[in-house]
């Protein structure tokens, strides 16, 4: 059992026979003989081996050690897969939300443009001698002036956003 345990522990720590031999100041063939069961380490070397493999001597001398690393790695891989799936779903939800916001902003810009075009600047024929009409006309004119300059930029940005956030799996 010791030979199999040495080999299992060495592999679970990711060490080659050469690397373990360097840690113990022995030749690689000594490690190979221990793992094949052709020889056994003396008591002093057994303690050094347990320190190098970070395992108690009693564990090394016990029944056959199974490789818990494979199970641990499998569990970690499964957890990472679940996390990646959750992150992917969140990213897809964010992308979908952004996509619909871009579509909505483009629709709003087009509708407001159509409404302003249809109204044909009605404030230009108003009587500005009345203060309330003057304030309302000035506010309406300011909105229209600002809208005409900013709307194309927002519309182009929305169209680019729609293209950038569309689904890639089609």
């Amino acid at each position: 059992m010791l030979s199999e345990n040495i080999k299992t522990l060495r592999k679970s720590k990711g060490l080659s026979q050469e690397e373990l031999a360097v840690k113990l100041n022995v030749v690689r063939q000594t490690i190979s003989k221990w793992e094949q069961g052709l020889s056994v380490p003396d008591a002093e070397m057994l303690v050094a081996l347990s320190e190098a493999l970070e395992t108690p001597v009693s564990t090394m001398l016990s029944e056959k050690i199974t490789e818990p690393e494979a199970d641990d790695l499998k569990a970690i891989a499964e957890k990472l897969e679940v996390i990646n799936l959750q992150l992917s779903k969140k990213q897809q939800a964010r992308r979908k939300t952004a996509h619909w916001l871009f579509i909505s902003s483009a629709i709003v810009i087009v509708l407001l443009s159509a409404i302003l075009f249809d109204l044909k600047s009605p404030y230009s024929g108003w009587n500005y001698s009345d203060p309330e009409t003057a304030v309302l006309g000035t506010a309406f004119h300011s909105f229209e002036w600002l809208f005409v300059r900013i709307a194309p930029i927002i519309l182009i940005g929305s169209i680019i956003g729609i293209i950038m956030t569309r689904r890639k799996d089609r």
Side-chain angles (χ1 to χ4, degrees):
M1 293 301 155
L2 176 63
S3 59
E4 292 174 18
N5 289 347
I6 293 172
K7 186 175 185 177
T8 302
L9 289 168
R10 176 183 59 79
K11 286 185 175 183
S12 72
K13 299 293 181 185
L15 296 171
S16 66
Q17 287 182 344
E18 183 69 34
E19 291 168 330
L20 182 58
V22 168
K23 282 187 169 193
L24 299 173
N25 294 322
V26 296
V27 293
R28 186 201 56 80
Q29 290 80 1
T30 303
I31 305 295
S32 177
K33 287 181 182 177
W34 291 344
E35 290 181 357
Q36 292 174 12
L38 300 175
S39 67
V40 292
D42 61 13
E44 189 177 304
M45 189 55 69
L46 196 58
V47 171
L49 186 61
S50 74
E51 289 174 0
L53 296 174
E54 300 170 350
T55 305
V57 174
S58 59
T59 304
M60 290 176 38
L61 294 173
S62 65
E63 294 295 316
K64 184 177 178 181
I65 297 175
T66 57
E67 282 191 51
E69 289 293 320
D71 293 338
D72 290 346
L73 290 176
K74 186 176 180 182
I76 291 170
E78 288 173 356
K79 288 178 183 178
L80 285 174
E81 187 176 339
V82 169
I83 290 169
N84 283 338
L85 186 61
Q86 290 171 344
L87 289 174
S88 175
K89 285 182 180 179
K90 284 182 181 179
Q91 185 178 14
Q92 287 174 354
R94 277 191 228 119
R95 180 181 291 236
K96 188 175 181 179
T97 302
H99 185 73
W100 285 106
L101 284 173
F102 286 128
I103 289 173
S104 300
S105 66
I107 290 171
V108 167
I109 294 293
V110 169
L111 287 176
L112 280 174
S113 297
I115 291 169
L116 287 175
F117 182 76
D118 188 45
L119 290 176
K120 297 180 185 171
S121 303
Y123 58 86
S124 58
W126 292 355
N127 179 8
Y128 282 91
S129 60
D130 179 26
E132 291 177 4
T133 307
V135 170
L136 187 60
T138 304
F140 193 66
H141 176 71
S142 298
F143 170 76
E144 187 179 65
W145 182 86
L146 190 63
F147 181 81
V148 166
R149 279 145 183 83
I150 294 177
I153 296 168
I154 295 173
L155 184 62
I156 291 169
S158 295
I159 291 170
I160 291 171
I162 291 168
I163 292 168
M164 299 291 285
T165 58
R166 73 181 189 277
R167 287 177 47 191
K168 306 268 187 211
D169 58 1
R170 290 184 191 173

